[in-house]
Amino acid sequence: MWQKAHPIGLRVGIVKSWFSERHSKGRRQNADFFVEDIQLRDYIEAFYPRAGISRVVIRKTNKEGEIILFASKVGVIMGKDGAKIKELEDKIEKKFGRVFKISIKAIKIPELSAKIMAEHIATQLEGRMPFRKVAKQVITQVMEKGAVWVKVKVGGRLGGVDIARKETFNQWRVPLQTLRADIDYHAMQAHTKYGVLGIKVWIAKGEIFAKKSKQALMKEIVDKIDS
């Protein structure tokens, strides 16, 4: 069988930065922080289902923490006068027993976010739109916004047929093994009337040749995530 690596995890420390920064004491606490980060992301995803959140960056110490949400719909995330953010902060404090300051950064080009485009595909498929038409429309939108390569894969009972299959839609070749390639990736599911469909989206924005330090990578992920 093939050995498949995660397109983002493969490039962490090379052209991608960590989405979590933890200052822990010992391995045990670091493991606890790791599990807590996963639970935090799942909780935020459940609180804001398909709300256009591209990425969640978590920074934490023993006493305090910070969560940065990169979103295309800032108004939906904040709510009226920031009420939804305040509600989320209170619920996280009650559930995890720690105060997290939540901030939001707007994404200028949502079409270059693999997660946002995967959510768009899932919503369209659940609305019974033809999967080929949806995939080709997404590829066209992404390429028009400046992407270099795009790949969309949809699997399951496509069109309601009895036998499940996979179909892949490409625009040029996505260099999955080129470490200097700046690739965004996301996988999710669409729950349709005739079953669950799997969706994978790869968006390549070009190549990065200069080696960057950890600090430079983290600054880029915070300040220029939409570039």
Side-chain angles (χ1 to χ4, degrees):
M1 296 180 65
W2 292 355
Q3 300 293 323
K4 296 184 180 180
H6 195 283
I8 296 178
L10 182 66
R11 293 166 175 83
V12 168
I14 302 174
V15 295
K16 297 286 185 179
S17 181
W18 290 259
F19 294 156
S20 297
E21 279 197 351
R22 303 184 288 267
H23 299 280
S24 57
K25 297 180 180 179
R27 296 181 179 178
R28 179 62 183 177
Q29 189 179 49
N30 186 59
D32 293 339
F33 279 2
F34 174 76
V35 174
E36 187 179 64
D37 286 351
I38 297 175
Q39 294 173 346
L40 275 169
R41 295 178 194 279
D42 291 341
Y43 191 82
I44 293 172
E45 190 68 27
F47 190 83
Y48 291 116
R50 297 185 187 177
I53 297 178
S54 175
R55 304 189 185 188
V56 179
V57 176
I58 301 174
R59 297 170 173 172
K60 64 172 64 173
T61 61
N62 292 331
K63 297 181 180 179
E64 59 185 9
E66 179 185 10
I67 300 175
I68 305 174
L69 306 179
F70 294 89
S72 60
K73 304 175 182 177
V74 177
V76 174
I77 303 299
M78 292 189 65
K80 187 176 181 180
D81 297 329
K84 293 203 71 173
I85 284 294
K86 181 60 178 176
E87 180 185 356
L88 179 60
E89 288 179 344
D90 294 340
K91 288 187 175 183
I92 288 178
E93 182 180 357
K94 181 182 293 186
K95 180 175 178 61
F96 296 93
R98 189 188 314 204
V99 177
F100 282 91
K101 179 183 177 182
I102 301 177
S103 58
I104 307 173
K105 289 187 177 293
I107 295 178
K108 297 179 182 178
I109 310 178
E111 289 82 3
L112 294 182
S113 170
K115 184 174 184 296
I116 292 177
M117 298 315 295
E119 290 178 353
H120 174 71
I121 294 174
T123 302
Q124 294 292 313
L125 293 180
E126 289 173 353
R128 305 185 69 176
M129 290 290 291
F131 69 94
R132 289 191 183 92
K133 181 179 180 180
V134 172
K136 292 177 180 178
Q137 286 179 347
V138 166
I139 289 176
T140 302
Q141 293 174 8
V142 174
M143 292 298 293
E144 288 177 351
K145 293 298 181 177
V148 181
W149 305 284
V150 185
K151 182 165 76 169
V152 175
K153 181 179 288 187
V154 185
R157 293 183 59 191
L158 302 177
V161 298
D162 293 335
I163 300 176
R165 69 184 191 279
K166 299 178 182 178
E167 288 208 18
T168 304
F169 304 88
N170 291 317
Q171 183 68 35
W172 307 110
R173 182 187 61 87
V174 180
L176 299 180
Q177 299 300 321
T178 305
L179 295 180
R180 63 176 178 269
D182 184 10
I183 296 178
D184 194 15
Y185 166 81
H186 190 72
M188 67 178 305
Q189 295 179 341
H191 297 270
T192 66
K193 181 179 179 181
Y194 39 80
V196 178
L197 303 181
I199 303 166
K200 294 182 179 180
V201 178
W202 293 261
I203 298 177
K205 308 172 189 178
E207 295 185 353
I208 301 174
F209 291 93
K211 186 175 181 180
K212 301 181 180 181
S213 63
K214 177 182 176 182
Q215 291 77 12
L217 287 169
M218 196 61 198
K219 186 176 186 302
E220 179 180 339
I221 201 69
V222 172
D223 298 334
K224 298 181 180 180
I225 195 169
D226 56 333
S227 60

